[in-house]
Amino acid sequence: MRRYGPSPNDQTYANILQACAESGQINVALSLLKELQKSSFPLTSKIYLPLLKACANTRNVNVAQSLIESMKENSLRITIEHMNSYLSVVAKCKESARALEILNEMFDSKVGDQAIVPNLITLNTVLSACANSDDFESARDLLEQIKEGRFKVAARGGTNSRKSREDVIRPDIVSYNTVISCADPQMALELIHEMRLSR
């Protein structure tokens, strides 16, 4: 006898995975993902996001990396939100070298075959990875690159090609506070002085 009613979609599974992850049942969530991968259900990138966020809460960088790799293998669209969640895991695990490597991969505009443009959240998360690793030099270098305008704001469409101050990402209070958190007292005072001058 055939049953009638709606079939679960990617949002349904994303909600289930999020509920499992938020309740600390990441292994249950990963098992469900494996079942979905084996089934004929069409996977979407939406399903992976709650798992990446759960990895940040549990500091499971290896699972997060395998999720990103799985998305690449399945040719799923990896968004900036996916990458920021992945970087959050890396930052919490105090892996500044890996965070910088991921950022460089993004800056080179390739994660798999997809262009993903870093945003200020991305950059602040990498700064956090450096600070958590007590890697002041890398944090300071990245802050300098941000101040120099190395990172551009993602295009929102349109054909206006004029360059303006708004076309580049600028450091915010979070950027400075993160670098100050791993600086020695003298460097912290210099950064505070720099902040005052840049107002």
Side-chain angles (χ1 to χ4, degrees), residues 108-125:
D108 292 340
S109 295
K110 290 293 175 187
V111 175
D113 291 329
Q114 305 170 48
I116 301 174
V117 180
N119 58 23
L120 184 57
I121 294 168
T122 311
L123 299 173
N124 284 342
T125 305

Side-chain angles (χ1 to χ4, degrees), residues 46-110:
K46 186 184 287 190
I47 290 172
Y48 285 80
L49 195 55
L51 292 172
L52 286 165
K53 289 179 179 180
C55 288
N57 294 337
T58 60
R59 299 176 186 212
N60 198 331
V61 73
N62 293 329
V63 171
Q65 182 177 355
S66 70
L67 290 169
I68 293 293
E69 293 301 323
S70 174
M71 291 181 74
K72 290 178 189 176
E73 289 167 11
N74 290 301
S75 301
L76 296 176
R77 183 171 174 264
I78 300 172
T79 66
I80 190 64
E81 194 172 3
H82 290 98
M83 292 308 294
N84 286 346
S85 294
Y86 178 32
L87 281 166
S88 179
V89 181
V90 173
K92 288 180 179 181
C93 291
K94 303 178 182 182
E95 294 191 25
S96 62
R98 187 186 293 202
L100 290 163
E101 182 181 315
I102 293 166
L103 178 63
N104 284 330
E105 187 178 319
M106 292 172 70
F107 187 65
D108 292 340
S109 295
K110 290 293 175 187

Side-chain angles (χ1 to χ4, degrees), residues 23-41:
S23 64
Q25 298 179 28
I26 189 148
N27 290 333
V28 173
L30 291 170
S31 293
L32 177 57
L33 177 63
K34 284 181 184 173
E35 283 181 36
L36 289 172
Q37 289 169 330
K38 291 177 186 176
S39 74
S40 60
F41 185 82

Side-chain angles (χ1 to χ4, degrees), residues 113-186:
D113 291 329
Q114 305 170 48
I116 301 174
V117 180
N119 58 23
L120 184 57
I121 294 168
T122 311
L123 299 173
N124 284 342
T125 305
V126 176
L127 286 172
S128 179
C130 296
N132 291 343
S133 304
D134 290 323
D135 186 356
F136 173 75
E137 292 304 318
S138 294
R140 177 69 182 185
D141 288 348
L142 180 56
L143 181 64
E144 286 301 318
Q145 291 175 39
I146 299 168
K147 290 185 326 192
E148 291 166 4
R150 177 176 179 210
F151 302 96
K152 308 289 184 221
V153 175
R156 299 244 190 257
T159 57
N160 188 353
S161 63
R162 74 171 173 38
K163 300 289 180 202
S164 71
R165 183 178 169 110
E166 287 74 34
D167 289 331
V168 296
I169 297 172
R170 298 287 178 202
D172 64 0
I173 189 71
V174 173
S175 310
Y176 277 96
N177 285 345
T178 303
V179 177
I180 287 169
S181 74
C182 68
D184 65 43
Q186 182 60 40

